[in-house]
Amino acid sequence: MALRHAVLAALLDEELSGYQVTKAFAAGVANFWHALPQQVYAELARLEKEGLVAGREVVQEGRPNKRLFRVTGEGLAELESFASAAAKPAFLREDLLVQVQAADHLDVDVLTERLTERYAFAEAKAALFEEQLRTMRGELDEAEFLRSGARVGPYLTCRRGRDFERANRDWCRDVMEVLRARRAAREEA
Amino acid sequence: MALRHAVLAALLDEELSGYQVTKAFAAGVANFWHALPQQVYAELARLEKEGLVAGREVVQEGRPNKRLFRVTGEGLAELESFASAAAKPAFLREDLLVQVQAADHLDVDVLTERLTERYAFAEAKAALFEEQLRTMRGELDEAEFLRSGARVGPYLTCRRGRDFERANRDWCRDVMEVLRARRAAREEA
DNA sequence: CGTTACATGTAATATGTTACATGATTCC
DNA sequence: GGAATCATGTAACATATTACATGTAACG
């Protein structure tokens, strides 16, 4: 049970609907956790039943009504106890790394396609995170924001996401270069 | 179904027992995939039934007998078709990021403990990967190995693992410094 | 007039985790 | 004498994915 904590953390600073939490998991939060809409809705229902979040109906016109959730005192206590326990080590799962692991047995052109796609994806995601960071900073420069900004948690995790995607991008570039050079060497021989 | 491809990729360059594959998933392979022994044994059984790997019994004295597995032609074809399809984007799951996301609502000392633990873990893992890289390179320097080494796939994925853990380590250090400075500023006021 | 965004779920299936089970050998 | 390594699983439970279901409104 750990999705619950990711959901609680996402709801800490603002009231959000299930739909918005879902969006967060598809974008920013996805940087450290991943979940499908169905899981988010199910988890919110469970959290509400257990009193860790409280929902309120918001009637809308022109679009479906929604329910906004906020973290309760009990929810915050749950997060505190979660933070007291040792974190499980990270858990990375990347198809592309499996494919590169097998690189010596696979077609270079096919792999290069995959690496090119991932390069573009990483670049786009890094840019998105960078924009979110700019928005959070507002008018302050980074050092000043980190010193005196109201909330730095989401900023620090977002920065990790940006750097992660930058590293992915650079790695894709390097791997493509290595595969290209090895092919050139083979063709010479 | 993707664990199967991670297992196949791990078996590409050498014949391994289920136990050894398990060890690989606990160490190096864990850098891009993660699985418990039970899953590995179950997956190997399934792969063998489907003809993607072939196992052979090795009788041992002083220790239990074992079965060594190698990838078959069909197994390699399966990997090729896996590489032809677009890779799913990475999938990161890190408790500590959830905890830092909530940093502004949690106790700094508790979080610092978590960050210190993770810092040490990342450092140790990066060192382990570095050692594996040295072993793979042998006497060659990196550039030469990448140009002319027999198999570079495992090297390239291991390098990504090393850099990932180095980035984690640096991030932990930076986050602790930010939290420390903010507390100092608060205590002054 | 087709697609995307908004908004929320259920049901069936696949995958992953936890607990349990066994038993010899080597290292501290 | 106790823990770790070698070696392989089964069974029960929890979590995640895929497919399906519904309906309005804004955007191009």
Side-chain angles (χ1 to χ4, degrees), chain B residues 73-85:
Chain B
E74 272 188 80
L76 186 58
E78 172 67 24
L79 263 178
E80 272 160 8
S81 107
F82 169 64
S84 313

Side-chain angles (χ1 to χ4, degrees), chain B residues 15-151:
Chain B
E15 246 187 340
L16 296 174
S17 67
Y19 187 77
Q20 288 173 301
V21 175
T22 280
K23 290 284 136 179
F25 272 92
V29 180
N31 139 237
F32 58 83
W33 210 267
H34 167 262
L36 298 167
Q38 296 91 321
Q39 281 176 275
V40 172
Y41 285 112
E43 194 61 51
L44 281 169
R46 234 173 296 147
L47 285 166
E48 191 180 23
K49 206 173 64 184
E50 292 172 37
L52 306 186
V53 304
R56 64 182 180 93
E57 184 91 13
V58 174
V59 179
Q60 298 185 116
E61 298 195 20
R63 31 181 84 176
N65 294 343
K66 61 180 172 183
R67 306 197 63 226
L68 292 182
F69 294 93
R70 61 179 183 75
V71 178
T72 63
E74 272 188 80
L76 186 58
E78 172 67 24
L79 263 178
E80 272 160 8
S81 107
F82 169 64
S84 313
K88 288 188 191 168
F91 177 119
L92 183 57
R93 215 159 250 209
E94 168 109 48
D95 282 4
L96 184 56
L97 279 161
V98 176
Q99 292 165 353
V100 170
Q101 172 85 16
D104 305 296
H105 307 266
L106 299 175
D107 185 288
V108 172
D109 288 324
V110 168
L111 252 182
T112 300
E113 265 184 71
R114 298 289 84 74
L115 287 158
T116 304
E117 289 161 6
R118 187 76 180 84
Y119 180 96
F121 180 85
E123 176 88 322
K125 202 137 184 208
L128 187 87
F129 286 142
E130 186 58 49
E131 207 186 300
Q132 288 179 9
L133 290 170
R134 247 201 314 277
T135 303
M136 284 191 256
R137 278 199 302 270
E139 314 235 305
L140 304 175
D141 71 22
E142 182 163 89
E144 207 181 332
F145 173 78
L146 289 174
R147 225 181 301 121
S148 61
R151 282 182 293 274

